[in-house]
Amino acid sequence: MLNSDLTITDYAQRRRVLGRRADMRLAQALRRTIPLHRKLRQQILRGLRARPRLIRPQLIRQWHNGSFVEKIVTLPSAA
């Protein structure tokens, strides 16, 4: 959606700049090769870092008997 303060030419210029940046990032990534074992290690570490966020309990508010009640929602744990 267009903002009133930016014109169509401003958006076109911004798109060209962002496109050039994306092209530069791609060229840089293609020039710099990463060994497979390092890539796998990074992916595993990224997955382990994301795991606590997935398991973390969430506090939600539900309407119950005329008022909001806070309830903790967690994933069912495998026994």
Side-chain angles (χ1 to χ4, degrees), residues 5 13 22 24 28 39 45 47 50 53 59 61-62 69 75-77:
D5 57 338
Q13 175 65 21
M24 288 188 301
Q28 185 181 25
K39 217 179 257 193
L45 289 174
R53 281 180 282 183
L59 188 67
R61 297 176 72 205
Q62 288 182 327
V69 177
L75 293 173
S77 60

mmCIF file of all heavy atoms in Angstrom, residues 5 13 22 24 28 39 45 47 50 53 59 61-62 69 75-77:
data_model
loop_
_atom_site.group_PDB
_atom_site.id
_atom_site.type_symbol
_atom_site.label_atom_id
_atom_site.label_comp_id
_atom_site.label_asym_id
_atom_site.label_seq_id
_atom_site.Cartn_x
_atom_site.Cartn_y
_atom_site.Cartn_z
ATOM 1 N N ASP A 5 2.919 10.289 1.666
ATOM 2 C CA ASP A 5 4.114 11.130 1.582
ATOM 3 C C ASP A 5 5.146 10.611 0.582
ATOM 4 O O ASP A 5 6.054 11.340 0.193
ATOM 5 C CB ASP A 5 4.762 11.286 2.959
ATOM 6 C CG ASP A 5 5.116 9.944 3.589
ATOM 7 O OD1 ASP A 5 4.515 8.932 3.180
ATOM 8 O OD2 ASP A 5 5.972 9.922 4.477
ATOM 9 N N GLN A 13 12.403 3.689 -6.763
ATOM 10 C CA GLN A 13 13.806 3.867 -6.396
ATOM 11 C C GLN A 13 14.171 2.945 -5.238
ATOM 12 O O GLN A 13 15.208 2.284 -5.247
ATOM 13 C CB GLN A 13 14.065 5.329 -6.015
ATOM 14 C CG GLN A 13 15.461 5.601 -5.500
ATOM 15 C CD GLN A 13 16.524 5.385 -6.561
ATOM 16 O OE1 GLN A 13 16.241 5.408 -7.743
ATOM 17 N NE2 GLN A 13 17.738 5.153 -6.117
ATOM 18 N N ALA A 22 20.078 -7.169 -2.495
ATOM 19 C CA ALA A 22 19.840 -8.609 -2.530
ATOM 20 C C ALA A 22 20.803 -9.276 -3.504
ATOM 21 O O ALA A 22 21.338 -10.353 -3.222
ATOM 22 C CB ALA A 22 18.393 -8.896 -2.918
ATOM 23 N N MET A 24 23.783 -8.201 -4.300
ATOM 24 C CA MET A 24 25.119 -8.186 -3.699
ATOM 25 C C MET A 24 25.252 -9.280 -2.645
ATOM 26 O O MET A 24 26.273 -9.951 -2.560
ATOM 27 C CB MET A 24 25.409 -6.813 -3.080
ATOM 28 C CG MET A 24 25.655 -5.731 -4.122
ATOM 29 S SD MET A 24 26.212 -4.152 -3.440
ATOM 30 C CE MET A 24 24.899 -3.704 -2.335
ATOM 31 N N GLN A 28 27.850 -12.400 -2.816
ATOM 32 C CA GLN A 28 28.783 -12.614 -1.719
ATOM 33 C C GLN A 28 28.641 -14.032 -1.158
ATOM 34 O O GLN A 28 29.630 -14.697 -0.864
ATOM 35 C CB GLN A 28 28.511 -11.588 -0.617
ATOM 36 C CG GLN A 28 29.502 -11.639 0.516
ATOM 37 C CD GLN A 28 29.168 -10.610 1.583
ATOM 38 O OE1 GLN A 28 28.014 -10.193 1.716
ATOM 39 N NE2 GLN A 28 30.162 -10.196 2.338
ATOM 40 N N LYS A 39 28.314 -26.025 8.169
ATOM 41 C CA LYS A 39 26.924 -25.699 7.859
ATOM 42 C C LYS A 39 25.965 -26.553 8.688
ATOM 43 O O LYS A 39 24.978 -26.059 9.246
ATOM 44 C CB LYS A 39 26.672 -25.928 6.368
ATOM 45 C CG LYS A 39 25.744 -24.933 5.727
ATOM 46 C CD LYS A 39 25.582 -25.243 4.270
ATOM 47 C CE LYS A 39 26.395 -24.289 3.434
ATOM 48 N NZ LYS A 39 26.063 -24.331 2.029
ATOM 49 N N LEU A 45 22.815 -26.252 15.876
ATOM 50 C CA LEU A 45 22.810 -25.292 16.985
ATOM 51 C C LEU A 45 21.626 -24.339 16.901
ATOM 52 O O LEU A 45 21.030 -23.981 17.912
ATOM 53 C CB LEU A 45 24.121 -24.503 16.997
ATOM 54 C CG LEU A 45 25.353 -25.287 17.433
ATOM 55 C CD1 LEU A 45 26.602 -24.445 17.273
ATOM 56 C CD2 LEU A 45 25.212 -25.771 18.853
ATOM 57 N N GLY A 47 18.727 -25.055 15.623
ATOM 58 C CA GLY A 47 17.555 -25.826 16.037
ATOM 59 C C GLY A 47 17.482 -26.006 17.537
ATOM 60 O O GLY A 47 16.406 -25.926 18.137
ATOM 61 N N ALA A 50 16.289 -22.821 19.153
ATOM 62 C CA ALA A 50 14.872 -22.536 18.916
ATOM 63 C C ALA A 50 13.975 -23.420 19.777
ATOM 64 O O ALA A 50 12.847 -23.068 20.060
ATOM 65 C CB ALA A 50 14.529 -22.742 17.445
ATOM 66 N N ARG A 53 12.140 -22.041 22.969
ATOM 67 C CA ARG A 53 11.042 -21.131 22.631
ATOM 68 C C ARG A 53 9.788 -21.903 22.269
ATOM 69 O O ARG A 53 8.682 -21.445 22.500
ATOM 70 C CB ARG A 53 11.439 -20.224 21.477
ATOM 71 C CG ARG A 53 12.328 -19.080 21.934
ATOM 72 C CD ARG A 53 12.677 -18.225 20.776
ATOM 73 N NE ARG A 53 13.734 -18.917 20.044
ATOM 74 C CZ ARG A 53 14.351 -18.456 18.987
ATOM 75 N NH1 ARG A 53 14.018 -17.308 18.504
ATOM 76 N NH2 ARG A 53 15.299 -19.128 18.413
ATOM 77 N N LEU A 59 1.131 -17.825 28.546
ATOM 78 C CA LEU A 59 0.083 -17.339 29.424
ATOM 79 C C LEU A 59 -1.009 -16.709 28.571
ATOM 80 O O LEU A 59 -0.753 -15.778 27.810
ATOM 81 C CB LEU A 59 0.669 -16.309 30.400
ATOM 82 C CG LEU A 59 -0.235 -15.826 31.512
ATOM 83 C CD1 LEU A 59 -0.529 -16.970 32.483
ATOM 84 C CD2 LEU A 59 0.428 -14.682 32.266
ATOM 85 N N ARG A 61 -5.283 -15.358 28.403
ATOM 86 C CA ARG A 61 -6.409 -14.885 29.219
ATOM 87 C C ARG A 61 -7.693 -15.391 28.594
ATOM 88 O O ARG A 61 -7.937 -15.181 27.418
ATOM 89 C CB ARG A 61 -6.386 -13.365 29.299
ATOM 90 C CG ARG A 61 -5.142 -12.844 29.988
ATOM 91 C CD ARG A 61 -5.086 -11.347 29.981
ATOM 92 N NE ARG A 61 -6.080 -10.835 30.903
ATOM 93 C CZ ARG A 61 -6.634 -9.627 30.801
ATOM 94 N NH1 ARG A 61 -6.286 -8.821 29.845
ATOM 95 N NH2 ARG A 61 -7.528 -9.234 31.664
ATOM 96 N N GLN A 62 -8.511 -16.059 29.406
ATOM 97 C CA GLN A 62 -9.787 -16.580 28.937
ATOM 98 C C GLN A 62 -10.913 -15.961 29.751
ATOM 99 O O GLN A 62 -10.770 -15.695 30.937
ATOM 100 C CB GLN A 62 -9.844 -18.102 29.097
ATOM 101 C CG GLN A 62 -8.994 -18.859 28.133
ATOM 102 C CD GLN A 62 -9.140 -20.355 28.328
ATOM 103 O OE1 GLN A 62 -9.341 -20.821 29.441
ATOM 104 N NE2 GLN A 62 -9.046 -21.103 27.236
ATOM 105 N N VAL A 69 -9.632 -14.879 33.226
ATOM 106 C CA VAL A 69 -8.794 -15.730 34.062
ATOM 107 C C VAL A 69 -7.527 -16.043 33.272
ATOM 108 O O VAL A 69 -7.588 -16.424 32.108
ATOM 109 C CB VAL A 69 -9.533 -17.054 34.410
ATOM 110 C CG1 VAL A 69 -8.631 -17.966 35.227
ATOM 111 C CG2 VAL A 69 -10.828 -16.762 35.141
ATOM 112 N N LEU A 75 2.705 -27.428 25.944
ATOM 113 C CA LEU A 75 2.556 -28.596 25.089
ATOM 114 C C LEU A 75 2.509 -29.837 25.961
ATOM 115 O O LEU A 75 3.183 -29.903 26.989
ATOM 116 C CB LEU A 75 3.736 -28.694 24.122
ATOM 117 C CG LEU A 75 3.835 -27.608 23.071
ATOM 118 C CD1 LEU A 75 5.142 -27.741 22.303
ATOM 119 C CD2 LEU A 75 2.665 -27.716 22.114
ATOM 120 N N PRO A 76 1.726 -30.849 25.578
ATOM 121 C CA PRO A 76 1.720 -32.066 26.381
ATOM 122 C C PRO A 76 3.080 -32.750 26.318
ATOM 123 O O PRO A 76 3.676 -32.882 25.242
ATOM 124 C CB PRO A 76 0.643 -32.931 25.712
ATOM 125 C CG PRO A 76 0.470 -32.365 24.354
ATOM 126 C CD PRO A 76 0.843 -30.909 24.441
ATOM 127 N N SER A 77 3.588 -33.137 27.474
ATOM 128 C CA SER A 77 4.913 -33.762 27.494
ATOM 129 C C SER A 77 4.777 -35.251 27.234
ATOM 130 O O SER A 77 3.826 -35.890 27.678
ATOM 131 C CB SER A 77 5.588 -33.518 28.841
ATOM 132 O OG SER A 77 4.790 -34.080 29.857
#
